[in-house]
Amino acid sequence: MKLLSLSIERLEGLRTGFALGPEHLTGRVRVLHGPNAIGKSSVLRALKCLLWPREAPARGSIELEARFEIQGNEWTVRREGASTRWMRDGNVADAPPLPAWRHASQMLVGLDALGLGGDREVREHVQREMGGGYDIAGAETALRPGVQVGRTQAGHLSKAEDELRAAQFAQQEVIRDADTLDEVRRARNASLGAGKRVVLLDKALELAQAKRALALTESRLAEFPSGLENWRGDEPDELGKLRKRLASAQSDQDRAHRAIVAVERAIARDSIAEPVPADVLDELDQRVEALRSADDAWKAALELDSRSQARLHAAGAVFGANADLDRFASLDDSLDVEVDALARATEVQARHDSEVDAQLAAIGSGSSARPPAHRATAALEDWLSAPTASASDAKPRRFLLLLAVLLALTAMGLAFVHLANLAILVLAALALFGARAKAESNESNRADHAEAYARTGEEQPTAWTVDAVRAQLAALREREVSALEARARDGRRAELTARREALADEGRGLALRRIELAARLGANPTAPDSALAAFAQSRRSLREARSASSEVRASCDLHGLQRADASASLNKTLETHGATRVEDLTAARVRLKSLRERSAELSSHRAEIEHQRGLERVVRETAQDIEKQIAIVFRRGGLESGEDVALQNRLEHLEPWRTAREDRSESARDVERLSAELNAKSADAADHALADLPEPRLESERQSARDLAEQADALTERVLKIEMMLEQARDARTLEAALEARNDRRDALSEAFTKARRGVLACALLADVRAAHEATSRPRIVEEAEKLFASFTHGRYALRVSTVDGELAFTALDAQNAARPFALDELSDGTRAQLLLASRLAYLHEIERGDPLPLVLDDALATSDPARKQEIGAALLEVARKENRQILVLTSDAADADLLRPAGTPIGEVEATDLAVVRSISTPAATRERLAAPAVARVPDVGGANAEQFAAALASAGIPVRPFDPRCEVDEVHLWWILHHDLALLQRLLTLRFDNVASFRNAARNEIAGVGAREVNAMTPWIALTSAVIDAWRIGRGRPIDRSVLERAGVSDTFIERMTALAADVHDDAKLWFAAMSDGGNERAKGYRKKTLDQNREFLVAERYLDEREILDREDVWLRVLASMPPNHGIAADEVRQRFELLWQSCTSQ
Amino acid sequence: MTLRILAVGDIHLGRRPGSVPDDVAASAGGRDALGPRAAWQATVDRAIQERVQAVVLLGDVVDDEERYLEGWSALETGLRRLITAGIEVFAVAGNHDVRVLPRLASTLSGLHLVGAGGQWESVEIANGAGRFVGWSYPTAHARTDPTHDPELARLLATRSEGPTIGLLHGALDAAHSDYARFSGARLAALGADTWLLGHVHGPTFARADAGRISMGFLGSLTALDPTETGVHGPWLLTYAGRELVEAQHLALATLRWECVAVAVDAWTSVEDLEPGVTGALRDFDAREAANIGAARVVGLRIELTGRCKFHRDLQRAIERFAHDQLRPTLDGRAFFVDAIVDRVRAELDLQALARDTDPPGLLAQRLLALDALPSDVTNTGERARILRLARDARESLTRRSEFVAIPRAELRDEVLIEEVREAGLTALEELLASRANAEAGA
């Protein structure tokens, strides 16, 4: 089968179409080269879409066409969208027989198909063929216990055992403590006993100390002078007070003496020798008082006499200077009564007279009128009280009636049928009839009244209208009242006139009496009554004045006598007592006062003298007493009075002595008390004996006891704690639970072991069987691959296919050294590519159903160096020649055409097609530059830089150190991480352009100068360390997945986009990807078959993309790294640790 | 004179029965109600109820010297009750209670520790109605045979009217045991009327030596794990004179373990699995109802045996079968299935397969070689090679860090052959299935 032409008119990702004609595709090996994005991969995709339209569905619009030569026939296939049409020799035909889609990758080889990983499909096929059609490896995989089997259970068991050990340890602790419990209790009891003894010893020690203090105070007391016990200490104050009092007494004594002398002098100076006795003075007082009384009475009598004379003169003046006062005085007193009676009668008469005059004036004059007849007024009132309607009132009613009739008639004339008008008419008639009846009744009454007036003769009212009758009735009533009043006034006037006349008679009688009296009095007969009364009054006054004057005069005389007697008595008394006489009361009083005062003064002096003398005596006695007290004070201390200095000396010792004495008393009390207390606390003779022990020994014993007693609390606490722990331990069941858990875990591990054991034994048997089978049979595909490989390598290498540890192993045997088989990863790239190509072609032979299928290599040689490319090119050409197989090589390197063309190759066997020319696309200069190899950077010298500084220098030079990524293989690790410790070697390798482990290994393998055994030996342990870190870190993490991985895992094109997107969502983490796919709710997982997912999982697990183990923590990783290090690696432990830390840090920063 | 003794085997107080599901244990009143503590209390009750003259403990009263505290209270309480009830209590110390029993005996005046310190001792029971001759562990391990102590012979040479009952806690006929190993034959010949033995949890007490004496292990008081199947409880021994007239094993344990074999030969498909298992439960209940005693919980291990054509399907069905959901209650007892053990063999014609040289044929040849007769030199050599291969593989497995906790015992060839046969048949089934699958896929 050969591709003759290919036309890509429309294909997703390609802007413009292009076509490859026979001129671009002929030749045994055709190299299609061009820069990236020129359409190389589009050629591959187009072929897939055309040959397997069902498995490679179109995305977007698609329009392709190709021509093939198959078994001598020309086939054309055209695809437009989902429609694919085959034509053979111009006729529509069914599609030719083609390998299954799953084999497409064998002929359309992608980027990594010839990579280190090899081809899984080929491997599986080979493996199955080697098993005689039985999947021994599959059976082994199914039966072999996974690496995780038992680990979880072992981890659980380990944890359970740890817990059990911890619980056992705790219990052992408790038991150990419990074993010591009795001992601790004894110690505690001893400690408690020591506590009690400490108290006893404290007492004993206190007692000893008290005794010592007592002895000390007694010795101090003995040093003081004797007699201090009688001193009180306040003696100086006492003496001071006593002496002060003594001085005061002496002063008082002097003062009294001087007072006596002074009073005696005053007495001597006095006029009277002896004081007048009090009773004499009282008598003198009485005398003076009698004199005063007599004098006062005499003077009052004189005064009264004087006033009496004045009155007498006044009374006499009333009657004139010449009147005979005596006569007047002798008149009968009855005249006075008569004068008074006359005055009263005159007064009464005058009052009555004026009253009558007033009444008469009030009544005045006038005649009385005739009162109107009562009947007339009564008749008028009756008439007025009759019904009020009158004939005049009826007139309007008639008018209304008439009006109503007229209206009714008018209405009837207008509308005779109206009943209302008829009713109005009836009502008006009734009103008119009532008015007429009333008027007739009034007329009847007036007639009756006129008849009555006629009968009485009274004037009949002229008008009989109501208003007229009313006015007439009012006039009648006024006239009637006036007549009655006039009659009353006339009667009264007559009565008053009579009375006035009687009063005039009475006045005249009184005048007569007045004349008579005036005559009898001697007064003017015309004198008014008032003059008579005054005259009578004067006469009584005169008489009384005369009478009084007589009495006063007599009294005056009497008092004059009495006064003279009193004066005489007084003078006599005065004379009796040596006093001079006095003339009058004033002098008497003065004399008496003087006498009294002198007497009192003299008595006072004498009393004072007595007092002072008594005082002088008392003070003297007091002073003597004080002097005695002073003497006592001094004698109290055995001193004589006046020994003040000695006293002071003694007193200075008093306070210390007292303190000493108190100390001694206190000490004595303490001794007594402590002895009693110690006796009370002592339980036995030994305790009692403590009282006699010396103080140092007591202190020593007490310290020991105290030390022991101080442990009591701690020991008690410990006892309680042990008891509590015992109690808790007995109830806890912690151990039971831990043991149960441990047993359960152990059972689980045993079960896992049983399963694992069965699997291991089964695998061992299968491995034995497989070895036996492989030794006796070799499948065709292997023979074919061996032949091809030998051919490719011109016999230098022989291919050996075997199974090692269940894995298919391709090894190459060097013809020159057959004892040394080379594994795939030990071969150079070219040899490896030859080997894989051989195996692939052998497989193609197995699956091809007709003509050899074209082999398309898409950038499959990109990683090969020129020499390898030449070798591969030779192999490819050989295959093309032998098998007549078309081989298309898609590459971005135009030089590959030359490299793939072995020397001496005839023209036309290896041809090249520049796709850029085909597509008429001239690559812009800029693009060329970009595609061109970068300028070689110069590796800086290390100098004195450390690793980090050197890394920075490398970055500055444009050779950055890639971070350590544990997800990558160790081959991809930058050498900086390996040679962190040997920067010189690092610098040298970088200069040789070896920057990662793979390039270093290749260099070593190819024996490139500068990379020899020494370097390999130096780096191997570090690479192993790095690899161990990567391996351990990957546990539970797996490798990142991407589209190519998913494709290899069996994700179909239908799902690849979705699955790739999902992988990107979960950061290329296979575990998360699988979890998401297993999640029923994930939209992207919808429609995905579980069986396919299981297959994917199987692949991902097998290829270590999916690792279902638990992720290890730092220390676990470290332990694994240590365990993985080769023996005798020669690196110091701390260096290993440092490197691990460096790598781990980079791991965790990913 | 009649003497009644209640003899109690290993109690292992401080241990709880494992493998009982939580819900089952809870339904029975908790794990304590199924464990040694409850069994001990029931034993004490029974001793008082039966008015026995003595109770004797055959060692391993507590499970662990380091854990004795948790069993202490229950043990002490029970002993006090017995002593208070006037029952004499005797004990020999086992390897688990070297320190505990002496400590307890020192604080509990009614408890007689027989043979303390590894010195044979004879003590009278019930005022001379009988006597115990016993020996207690002086240390946790006893690497010599205590029955060779001349003192034992001296003590046994003295005869009495009542029975002479030997008490010993040790390993019977175990050549390399560190636990007072002794010979059964020697024991029978020593002259005691009865030998009560402790240490082994499976009860074996019976008459021996043509009925001349009675001897055997009393078994654990209650089953401690699923391997301790059958009746567990104390023994009520009645003597008339020196003759043991009755030995009654009292099924006082509240937990009973059993292993039930179910043959699958008659099964036609995996659908027979569930009815087969449930039927086995009912059959067991019907069969053992009279002997089940005080058991309130019965745990069964179903062992499927026989041959069937659908063995691989059956294996998967067993894995899928939710046996832990099977919780029938029969006659008031809670039954549960602890595990279903697959001992079924695929129905394969190894002879026919072995005639081919393809991988199944080669594998069948190897499996047949396991059964080679000694006269078949070729195959015995092949068997030896396979066993070496298997030992190496097994050894590599046991060296794996996760399995270092698995105790390594001496692996006898018979056991290994059985393991290899089982694994080989499984591999053969898998191999054949892979071919079938490949053909089906193609």
Side-chain angles (χ1 to χ4, degrees), chain A residues 482-554:
Chain A
S482 299
L484 289 173
E485 286 174 351
R487 269 201 304 268
R489 274 195 308 266
D490 291 345
R492 181 60 179 170
R493 186 177 297 117
E495 186 180 348
L496 288 173
T497 305
R499 175 66 177 161
R500 186 159 58 185
E501 287 172 356
L503 285 172
D505 290 344
E506 192 174 344
R508 280 185 300 272
L510 287 173
L512 290 174
R513 279 182 65 191
R514 185 177 301 115
I515 293 167
E516 181 185 356
L517 277 174
R520 286 172 67 188
L521 286 171
N524 187 359
T526 61
D529 290 344
S530 58
L532 289 179
F535 187 83
Q537 184 63 32
S538 298
R539 193 186 63 84
R540 277 196 298 272
S541 297
L542 179 60
R543 195 167 53 207
E544 286 171 2
R546 280 191 171 183
S547 171
S549 176
S550 302
E551 289 175 3
V552 167
R553 195 164 291 257

Side-chain angles (χ1 to χ4, degrees), chain A residues 179 733 736 740 768, chain B residues 31-32 37 103 366 385:
Chain A
D179 288 343
R733 312 282 175 85
E736 285 186 10
E740 183 186 354
D768 188 50
Chain B
R31 290 188 187 280
D32 277 350
R37 191 174 278 106
R103 180 193 292 267
R366 280 153 179 74
R385 188 186 69 81

Side-chain angles (χ1 to χ4, degrees), chain B residues 381-401:
Chain B
E382 176 68 0
R383 179 176 63 186
R385 188 186 69 81
I386 293 170
L387 290 183
R388 277 199 305 275
L389 191 74
R391 280 190 191 280
D392 290 346
R394 212 176 180 283
E395 185 63 21
S396 69
L397 183 68
T398 54
R399 275 201 302 268
R400 277 166 57 169
S401 60

Side-chain angles (χ1 to χ4, degrees), chain A residues 180-189 715 718-719 722:
Chain A
T180 64
L181 183 58
D182 290 340
E183 187 183 341
V184 176
R185 280 178 178 148
R186 279 194 298 276
R188 181 197 55 182
N189 293 339
L715 289 168
R718 193 169 166 206
V719 166
I722 292 171

